[in-house]
Amino acid sequence: MGIVTHHPETSVAETDVETTSGAVRGYVTDTARVWRGIPYAAAPVGELRFRAPELPHRWQGVRDATQFGAIPPQEIPRGITAPASSDVTMDEDCLTINVIAPRGRRHEKPLPVLVYIYGGAYTSGSAALDVYDGSRLVERGEVVFVSFNYRLGALGFLDLSSFSGIGRRFDTNVGLRDQVRALEWVRDNIAGFGGDPSNVTLFGESAGGISVTTLMTVPQARGLFARAIAQSPAVAAAYEPERAEGTARDFLDILNVLESHTTEVLGRVPAEEFVEASADLKERRVRKFPGTMTFSPVIDGDFLPRRPAEVFAAGEAHPIPLIIGTTDREGALFARMGETIPTTVPMIELMFAQTDPSKRDDVIAAYPDYPGRRAATDIGGDVIFWHPTVEAAEGHSQAAPTYMYRYDFAPRLLRMLRMGATHATELPAVFGTLDSRAAKALTTVGGRSQLASLSERMQQHWLSFAQQGTPMKDWPAYEASARSTKIFDSEDRVENDPRAVRRRAWRGYQNYR
């Protein structure tokens, strides 16, 4: 049993809730009830490392749930990617979940639930970032907000299943399985926090967005959420077992682990060594295979039977309402981060040579300034994020209501840097976290009032969708005939088939290896 404490920001009495693993005690603010760091799975350590998550052990008494749990092992977060509190530690025992519910609503009608999955290329991130604080959504929309941690990097998204041996098995997609386990916890427990388990909206950005679209094709996840929002998903980022096995072999080579000793050694390698090796592996694989992610879901024929991009194209994802979209210039952020995605001419040419050479000329023609820097940057962002998103929206619109957006708002700083609205810059608007480190950085030289106004409008749409399955009335559904797309900017608008020339140029491109 943890030590029960009062949250330093409030003297209001705390509140207890019974979960399937035991009672938890959070704290109350002026507007909300908050619980943090609740285990939703057993610690994935020892024999459970590289295994599917198991149910958490029951505890006696009332567990303190006032502090975030440990974040997953990763390179030490700094700046706007650091946890909101300096008290947050880093540890493999990281599978915890957080809940925020409106104050004074415990025994009234169950509320819609919003469950958020953070991004970070499956190698970084946590639910403890201040930009992900769901308090404003809860206060404004009378919803219950949930966030959670899941395993990252080699510990969560390296497929070692082909190296399973006597006495030790390695499961596939363990980080993705963590997410399903968290959703199962929501199904089994959220009613005690005032939420409606039959009215869950799953949303996420970047790797979190990939997770959303991928889970929409995972049989085990069917029925765990009623609608979905995918922000900047790289829908195609799930690969065949053969490629995943090659990635695993490179990783073992970096660790200097003999394949014959894999089951014996990997159980006792310190987590920090996995983090260091993961960084080396990313650099090696990105240069070798531009346009792909080093750590990602794998099509294992069981938990994830098929490529999510192909499932969406066929209109066969879980038939639930979906909001999906990207920022205006996804690639601009990555162009300043080295060769993370193909935003340079050599990497773009290598990408086409490895994938679909016949499409190269058609695509390049749609970017008249190529090989200029801006065009190269936009090709990289479009091939990873925008093009797969458009195709997913087109396919899913055959099966369920689908709403497409593009986030174009760029405060003065981003315009001065010639980046525009780039990857992840919509997060403060979605969450309303205008005092977060990310929002303050974006509005250093102006734009805060415009961001606040835009945030109000975006939250209206996100909350309307969570409450009733549709955004506000001024956002028409996406259909292949009109391709109506909501453009979020200083003044919002709807455009039909934006960037049609690019869309037609990319049609049929296969980024599969």
Side-chain angles (χ1 to χ4, degrees):
M1 174 175 135
I3 298 174
V4 178
T5 62
H6 288 271
H7 192 270
E9 296 176 358
T10 179
S11 59
V12 184
E14 298 159 1
T15 185
D16 295 0
V17 173
E18 187 69 36
T19 75
T20 50
S21 298
V24 294
R25 178 169 296 167
Y27 63 92
V28 181
T29 71
D30 291 341
T31 58
R33 295 174 297 135
V34 181
W35 298 263
R36 292 174 170 172
I38 305 171
Y40 69 84
V45 298
E47 292 300 314
L48 295 184
R49 183 186 267 181
F50 301 116
R51 297 294 304 275
E54 296 190 358
L55 294 174
H57 302 295
R58 283 196 62 85
W59 56 82
Q60 299 298 315
V62 181
R63 184 185 181 98
D64 174 44
T66 61
Q67 303 293 330
F68 283 115
I71 69 173
Q74 57 193 278
E75 291 190 50
I76 298 175
R78 292 183 174 85
I80 63 174
T81 64
S85 171
S86 59
D87 295 333
V88 177
T89 59
M90 186 184 300
D91 195 89
E92 278 189 83
D93 184 3
C94 61
L95 302 184
T96 58
I97 200 162
N98 317 292
V99 181
I100 306 176
R103 186 174 179 179
R105 289 295 306 262
R106 184 168 181 174
H107 300 296
E108 298 183 26
K109 181 181 178 181
L111 296 174
V113 182
L114 278 162
V115 179
Y116 184 71
I117 306 179
Y118 57 80
Y122 291 129
T123 58
S124 65
S126 79
L129 270 65
D130 61 352
V131 73
Y132 302 148
D133 183 357
S135 299
R136 286 80 176 172
L137 289 167
V138 170
E139 180 179 355
R140 181 169 187 175
E142 286 289 288
V143 296
V144 175
F145 174 79
V146 177
S147 62
F148 60 89
N149 290 336
Y150 59 94
R151 282 173 281 183
L152 298 171
L155 291 165
F157 289 89
L158 184 71
D159 181 20
L160 294 165
S161 59
S162 59
F163 300 98
S164 297
I166 297 174
R168 189 176 184 91
R169 189 180 85 238
F170 300 123
D171 291 326
T172 60
N173 292 305
V174 296
L176 207 61
R177 292 176 192 264
D178 292 344
Q179 298 172 4
V180 171
R181 171 86 275 280
L183 288 167
E184 291 171 342
W185 185 95
V186 170
R187 176 197 63 196
D188 297 339
N189 292 281
I190 205 62
F193 298 84
D196 183 352
S198 68
N199 188 7
V200 173
T201 297
L202 184 66
F203 74 126
E205 186 270 341
S206 195
I210 303 171
S211 299
V212 170
T213 53
T214 302
L215 290 172
M216 288 179 67
T217 71
V218 169
Q220 191 176 327
R222 182 182 288 270
L224 293 177
F225 50 103
R227 51 191 67 95
I229 303 173
Q231 301 171 210
S232 300
V235 182
Y239 307 108
E240 300 293 340
E242 295 78 12
R243 180 185 180 278
E245 183 177 343
T247 302
R249 291 184 187 280
D250 281 353
F251 184 77
L252 295 176
D253 179 62
I254 292 170
L255 279 180
N256 198 27
V257 174
L258 296 176
E259 292 178 16
S260 58
H261 294 171
T262 302
T263 57
E264 173 189 353
V265 174
L266 290 189
R268 61 172 186 261
V269 173
E272 54 268 26
E273 291 190 26
F274 283 116
V275 172
E276 293 175 5
S278 294
D280 291 345
L281 180 66
K282 276 184 69 174
E283 185 173 350
R284 177 187 295 192
R285 299 293 289 189
V286 163
R287 292 174 182 273
K288 190 175 181 180
F289 301 109
T292 63
M293 292 181 66
T294 302
F295 297 102
S296 64
V298 58
I299 295 92
D300 57 14
D302 176 25
F303 182 81
L304 182 58
R306 300 166 57 194
R307 290 184 179 278
E310 293 177 347
V311 176
F312 270 91
E316 296 174 352
H318 302 334
I320 60 175
L322 172 68
I323 288 175
I324 190 169
T326 66
T327 61
D328 178 33
R329 301 195 66 225
E330 292 279 356
L333 174 67
F334 299 96
R336 294 172 175 267
M337 299 171 59
E339 295 177 334
T340 307
I341 69 173
T343 57
T344 64
V345 172
M347 297 295 278
I348 289 169
E349 298 296 340
L350 178 58
M351 177 190 72
F352 280 117
Q354 290 180 343
T355 55
D356 196 349
S358 65
K359 291 295 295 181
R360 187 263 181 201
D361 290 347
D362 288 342
V363 171
I364 295 303
Y367 299 82
D369 294 335
Y370 186 82
R373 180 177 179 180
R374 183 181 179 89
T377 296
D378 287 341
I379 287 174
D382 288 356
V383 70
I384 301 298
F385 298 103
W386 178 73
H387 157 64
T389 296
V390 169
E391 297 214 329
E394 179 179 344
H396 195 65
S397 67
Q398 306 170 39
T402 304
Y403 303 89
M404 185 83 178
Y405 76 88
R406 195 180 74 212
Y407 185 83
D408 280 19
F409 176 67
R412 185 181 304 166
L413 176 66
L414 292 180
R415 297 196 303 272
M416 289 170 58
L417 295 173
R418 298 185 179 180
M419 296 176 69
T422 189
H423 191 73
T425 55
E426 86 281 13
L427 289 171
V430 168
F431 282 94
T433 44
L434 303 185
D435 291 325
S436 65
R437 286 162 293 185
K440 289 179 179 178
L442 288 171
T443 58
T444 301
V445 291
R448 181 180 172 85
S449 62
Q450 289 178 304
L451 178 60
S453 177
L454 176 55
S455 176
E456 183 174 337
R457 300 193 301 275
M458 289 192 76
Q459 287 195 329
Q460 285 180 336
H461 287 293
W462 264 235
L463 289 168
S464 174
F465 186 73
Q467 291 158 350
Q468 57 195 27
T470 61
M472 303 296 285
K473 292 182 179 180
D474 60 341
W475 186 347
Y478 188 89
E479 297 176 353
S481 55
R483 302 183 185 276
S484 300
T485 302
K486 183 77 168 179
I487 311 295
F488 289 106
D489 205 338
S490 299
E491 295 184 3
D492 303 340
R493 63 189 186 277
V494 173
E495 288 188 14
N496 290 338
D497 200 9
R499 296 174 179 165
V501 172
R502 292 188 189 181
R503 177 185 59 79
R504 288 191 290 267
W506 283 107
R507 178 174 287 278
Y509 172 76
Q510 299 292 330
N511 189 23
Y512 304 152
R513 293 172 172 86

